[in-house]
Structures are given as structure tokens and as C-alpha cells.
């Protein structure tokens, strides 16, 4: 990076008053209320390419949409699972590389190996991201039973969550966005209420992928939507993410039992391998964490506004990703269950720790833990949530 850009970066950090957020390059993306707005009038209309992505095993057509910005950054989204299948971003030499795990066509998302390991690459997770203990909760005096698809627990919406259905897609070329809608029936996977969800992906000319969620229901229910992209900022040049430097703007995490259900304790990370308040290579202490990282971090800033949650830098390529969210938590998952049985785009075989996920969310098992920020959605209310993944490059010497 040239001196000028470095100075600009320092100035931006100063303006944002983000001195404690080491690794955070700049200001918080634009937001209006809790709903983030696409910077529609600031960028020219971009063409959104639509092509066939193949048929589902059940014979339904799926489509792939490509958003492109002025810098050549490209995001591909399938209407199957409202899934991000590819994100092309430049490295420090300007070379584009795909920084997410995924497949080039629909068949990859339904192959036997994929379904067996269930990694949820890039998918929209719903109606409840993460685990619900024993697959049940009581709401307004009534007990609801959900699918137990993860040992004795419910995970990521059940057997057929929002990741395994075809969403209705609407390209919004003026905003360089794609809006996807899914109506989940009352009783689907055991949840009460018909839930109408939308997820809008916007690609800005600041190399930001903005994800805005909204949902309404006709009966009281629980909602916790997230995106399950796995990132490898080396774009396949490195076979694991252990050298990526991670900063999390979180001083506490939700302690879990052996089935990954929170005990209710919020524990301070200080002096432990869980501490990413300052940039740390993901791999530097991973061996001290049984099973690897798979924890929900409690963001330090508890406001509902869009705020910095995480920064990741891959030193060799210089690629940097910052994450901003309106959510109170972020699940940091270091790809512990990837086992080399899946080969995806670019003929890359996804072994252990090939990618990491940073899932912005409410805390796991909130329906059974009333002390956590609520996930209840009532008729007449609108659930809103927004997350931004912003990409840029840093000089490797800075790391
Ligand atoms: C969970 C992991 C799980 C993975 C893939 C993550 O969100 O935290 O425990 O293995 O998703 O299913």
C-alpha cells in the first residue's frame, strides 16, 4: 500500500474513533434506522446477470445471479437457500480470487457427501440460526417441538431449513441488489406461525456486501436469520485459514456444554485462547481449544445499530475483511468439521479448517434462555437485521 493510502487509512481510523479496534480500517457503513439502505442513488445501475444453476434433486429449476461492481468485485447468489456461492475480490496485486467455499452448480449443494457433512456453505440460515436445546421451547404457554437434527439438539432451522428451499428472487439493478423472499408455512419444522422472510444482498462500490433481512409472522414465533459463508481470504492459495489474523470486538462469549448449548454463563476472554480483542492468527492457540473454535461471541457494543464486529486479514494476499452487524452476537466457527470429503469450486478439496465462518446472530438457544436478548417475533412487528462484509487490502508488512 502506498503512503497516501496508509495515511488515509489512519485518518479514517482516527475519525471513526476506533483506536481500540485494532485492524478496523474505517468507518461504519451507512445505515438508516435498523434497516440498512442500499446506496441506490450513489451508484450507476449495474447489470445483474441471471443464468440457470441447474435443477434440484426434486426437479425444481434454480438460478444463479451475479452482482458486479465498478472494481470488478463479483458476488454470485443462488436462489436455492438464498446462498452466496462465490465472492471474487482483489488481492494486494489486484488479482481477483474467490474467497468463499461453494460450488459451481446446484448439484454440489445436494451431493451425498455434502448432505452427510452438512456444512451449510454460504446459505441463508433460518428460521433459527444455531442450536436450540433438545429441539423444543415454550412460547405463550405452549410447548413446540422441533426437529432434532444435531444429536439431541435442533440446528440451523431443522431438517429442511431455509438453506434447502428455493427462494423467489427479484433483481434490483438500480441498487445493484438481489432481493429473495421465502414464505415458511405455519408449523414448518415445528415452528409456530407463517413467516415471510426477505434477504437483500447489495454490492456497493466500496467493495461491501450488505445483507439485510426482514421478516413478519402471523403467530408469535422465534426468528434468528444469518448467513453461513465460509471464508478463505487466500482464495485457495492456502489450504487452511490458520494464518489469518482475526480481531473480534467482543470481550465475552457464551460458554457451552459438550453438546454446544450455552450454559448461560458469559465468560470473559481475557488471558485465554478465546481472546481476539487484539489481532491473533486463528491457528496460534487453536490446539488449546478442544475441537477448535465454534463459539458465540458477545459483541462489546450492545447497541442495535450497525457496528464493527470483526476484522480478518490474510497476510500473504493482503486481503482484509471487516464485518459490521446490527446483531448482538457472532459465531466464530473455524471449520472444524470439514474433513476433505467435499471438493468445491476451483477443484479445491475442503479439509479441516479450510474456511472459517463469522455468523452474525442472536445467541444460541435464546428461546430457552430468557436472560439473552430476545428472538421473539410477534404479529404486527417486523424483524430486521443487517450485516456488512467489507473487503479491502492491506500491505503485508503492516501485519
Ligand atoms: C455451527 C457448527 C456446525 C456448522 C455446520 C456452525 O454454525 O456452529 O457447530 O458444525 O455450523 O453445520
Amino acid at each position: 500500500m502506498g503512503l497516501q493510502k496508509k495515511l488515509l487509512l489512519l485518518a479514517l481510523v482516527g475519525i471513526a474513533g476506533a483506536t481500540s479496534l485494532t485492524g478496523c480500517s474505517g468507518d461504519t457503513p451507512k445505515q438508516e434506522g435498523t434497516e440498512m439502505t442500499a446506496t441506490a442513488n450513489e451508484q450507476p445501475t449495474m447489470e445483474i446477470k441471471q443464468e440457470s444453476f441447474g435443477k434440484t434433486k426434486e426437479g425444481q429449476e434454480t438460478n444463479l445471479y451475479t452482482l458486479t461492481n465498478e472494481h470488478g468485485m463479483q458476488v454470485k447468489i443462488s436462489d436455492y437457500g438464498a446462498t452466496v456461492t462465490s465472492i471474487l475480490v482483489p488481492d494486494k496485486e489486484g488479482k481477483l480470487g474467490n474467497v468463499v467455499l461453494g460450488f459451481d452448480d446446484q448439484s454440489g449443494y445436494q451431493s451425498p457427501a455434502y448432505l452427510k457433512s452438512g456444512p451449510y456453505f454460504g446459505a441463508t440460515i433460518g428460521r433459527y440460526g444455531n442450536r436450540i436445546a433438545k429441539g423444543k421451547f415454550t412460547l405463550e404457554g405452549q410447548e413446540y417441538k422441533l426437529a432434532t437434527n444435531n444429536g439431541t439438539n435442533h440446528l440451523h432451522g431443522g431438517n429442511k431449513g431455509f438453506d434447502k428451499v428455493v427462494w423467489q428472487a427479484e433483481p434490483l439493478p438500480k441498487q445493484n441488489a438481489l432481493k429473495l423472499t421465502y414464505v415458511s408455512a405455519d408449523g414448518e419444522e415445528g415452528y409456530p406461525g407463517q413467516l415471510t422472510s426477505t434477504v437483500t444482498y447489495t454490492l456497493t462500490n466500496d467493495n461491501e456486501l450488505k445483507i439485510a433481512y426482514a421478516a413478519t409472522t402471523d403467530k408469535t414465533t422465534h426468528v434468528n436469520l444469518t448467513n453461513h459463508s465460509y471464508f478463505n481470504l487466500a482464495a485457495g492459495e492456502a489450504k487452511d485459514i490458520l494464518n489469518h489474523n482475526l480481531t473480534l470486538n467482543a470481550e465475552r462469549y457464551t460458554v457451552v456444554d459438550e453438546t454446544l448449548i450455552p450454559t448461560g454463563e458469559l465468560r470473559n476472554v481475557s488471558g485465554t485462547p478465546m481472546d481476539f480483542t487484539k489481532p491473533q492468527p486463528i491457528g496460534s492457540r487453536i490446539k488449546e481449544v478442544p475441537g477448535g473454535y465454534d463459539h458465540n461471541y458477545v459483541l462489546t457494543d450492545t447497541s442495535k445499530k450497525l457496528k464493527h464486529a470483526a476484522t480478518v486479514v490474510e497476510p500473504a494476499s493482503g486481503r482484509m475483511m471487516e464485518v459490521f452487524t446490527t446483531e448482538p452476537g457472532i459465531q466464530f466457527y473455524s471449520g472444524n468439521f470439514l474433513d476433505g470429503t467435499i471438493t468445491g469450486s476451483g477443484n479445491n478439496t475442503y479439509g479441516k479448517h479450510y474456511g472459517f465462518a463469522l455468523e452474525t446472530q442472536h445467541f444460541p438457544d435464546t428461546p430457552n434462555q430468557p436472560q439473552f436478548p430476545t428472538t421473539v417475533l410477534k404479529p404486527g412487528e417486523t424483524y430486521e437485521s443487517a450485516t456488512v462484509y467489507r473487503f479491502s487490502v492491506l500491505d503485508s508488512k503492516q501485519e
Side-chain angles (χ1 to χ4, degrees):
M1 177 168 27
L3 182 64
Q4 235 178 350
K5 194 162 174 211
K6 267 186 196 155
L7 288 174
L8 181 68
L9 196 64
L10 288 173
L12 280 172
V13 172
I15 289 163
T19 39
S20 61
L21 309 180
T22 321
C24 174
S25 80
D27 49 352
T28 305
K30 290 185 191 70
Q31 187 198 5
E32 217 172 68
T34 46
E35 186 163 337
M36 193 181 35
T37 48
T39 45
N41 39 17
E42 288 171 26
Q43 52 186 53
T45 300
M46 299 295 284
E47 197 200 329
I48 298 174
K49 188 170 149 201
Q50 177 184 347
E51 63 197 303
S52 170
F53 201 49
K55 282 190 180 163
T56 65
K57 278 211 296 210
E58 299 76 25
Q60 220 177 331
E61 294 289 350
T62 64
N63 286 286
L64 187 70
Y65 297 84
T66 305
L67 305 176
T68 309
N69 76 4
E70 288 177 356
H71 310 293
M73 178 176 163
Q74 221 180 50
V75 179
K76 289 183 187 284
I77 300 149
S78 160
D79 52 12
Y80 180 80
T83 299
V84 175
T85 67
S86 156
I87 301 181
L88 289 185
V89 288
D91 67 5
K92 64 184 181 205
E93 317 292 350
K95 193 174 135 220
L96 290 171
N98 178 18
V99 294
V100 290
L101 280 54
F103 303 100
D104 297 330
D105 61 37
Q106 172 58 27
S107 62
Y109 294 92
Q110 289 188 299
S111 75
Y114 185 79
L115 295 176
K116 186 162 179 256
S117 83
Y120 300 85
F121 290 160
T124 297
I125 306 293
R127 138 173 3 187
Y128 195 96
N130 219 309
R131 293 174 173 81
I132 297 177
K134 311 268 186 276
K136 57 184 181 190
F137 58 78
T138 301
L139 197 53
E140 296 179 337
Q142 193 170 333
E143 187 179 79
Y144 293 94
K145 289 208 164 75
L146 312 170
T148 46
N149 58 326
N150 187 247
T152 55
N153 299 323
H154 176 85
L155 176 68
H156 293 338
N159 290 320
K160 192 171 180 181
F162 292 7
D163 59 298
K164 294 187 184 65
V165 296
V166 178
W167 294 57
Q168 203 189 328
E170 183 192 350
L172 304 171
K174 283 194 188 136
Q175 285 106 312
N176 204 21
L178 183 73
K179 179 177 181 182
L180 298 115
T181 304
Y182 176 63
V183 181
S184 166
D186 184 11
E188 197 174 291
E189 298 295 320
Y191 290 96
Q194 175 178 294
L195 186 80
T196 303
S197 304
T198 62
V199 47
T200 305
Y201 291 102
T202 304
L203 178 60
T204 75
N205 284 325
D206 295 325
N207 282 2
E208 295 163 339
L209 174 61
K210 301 185 170 188
I211 312 179
Y213 305 88
T216 54
T217 184
D218 64 359
K219 281 185 196 157
T220 304
T221 192
H222 283 286
V223 187
N224 189 27
L225 304 180
T226 192
N227 180 273
H228 211 279
S229 288
Y230 289 62
F231 299 93
N232 178 324
L233 300 183
E237 300 286 324
K239 298 299 171 205
D240 64 52
I241 45 72
L242 299 177
N243 75 333
H244 286 48
N245 286 314
L246 170 67
T247 313
L248 289 172
N249 191 10
E251 280 145 26
R252 293 177 301 166
Y253 68 101
T254 47
V255 177
V256 286
D257 67 16
E258 62 289 350
T259 72
L260 300 181
I261 293 292
T263 60
E265 184 192 352
L266 306 183
R267 191 174 293 169
N268 204 289
V269 295
S270 172
T272 77
M274 299 297 289
D275 189 350
F276 287 94
T277 53
K278 303 249 159 42
Q280 297 287 339
I282 291 174
S284 62
R285 300 153 304 168
I286 198 168
K287 289 207 167 69
E288 298 165 48
V289 181
Y293 296 99
D294 196 358
H295 296 81
N296 170 65
Y297 280 77
V298 178
L299 295 176
T300 301
D301 182 343
T302 54
S303 72
K304 291 184 178 150
K305 67 183 194 327
L306 205 52
K307 57 205 177 268
H308 174 256
T311 298
V312 190
V313 173
E314 200 280 309
S317 67
R319 287 194 187 90
M320 168 158 110
M321 179 177 82
E322 293 158 277
V323 186
F324 302 85
T325 188
T326 58
E327 289 294 307
I330 192 163
Q331 181 87 6
F332 167 44
Y333 171 56
S334 52
N336 315 322
F337 299 116
L338 296 174
D339 60 2
T341 55
I342 302 171
T343 297
S345 309
N347 212 22
N348 289 316
T349 296
Y350 301 139
K352 192 169 182 174
H353 307 312
Y354 191 98
F356 67 90
L358 285 170
E359 305 152 57
T360 55
Q361 58 177 15
H362 274 57
F363 306 167
D365 198 34
T366 293
N368 296 305
Q369 311 230 14
Q371 75 282 17
F372 289 167
T374 185
T375 50
V376 169
L377 181 71
K378 295 188 170 149
E381 297 175 345
T382 302
Y383 163 93
E384 284 180 330
S385 172
T387 291
V388 176
Y389 294 101
R390 183 200 279 161
F391 297 91
S392 54
V393 283
L394 267 192
D395 190 306
S396 57
K397 286 188 224 70
Q398 279 215 322
E399 284 305 296

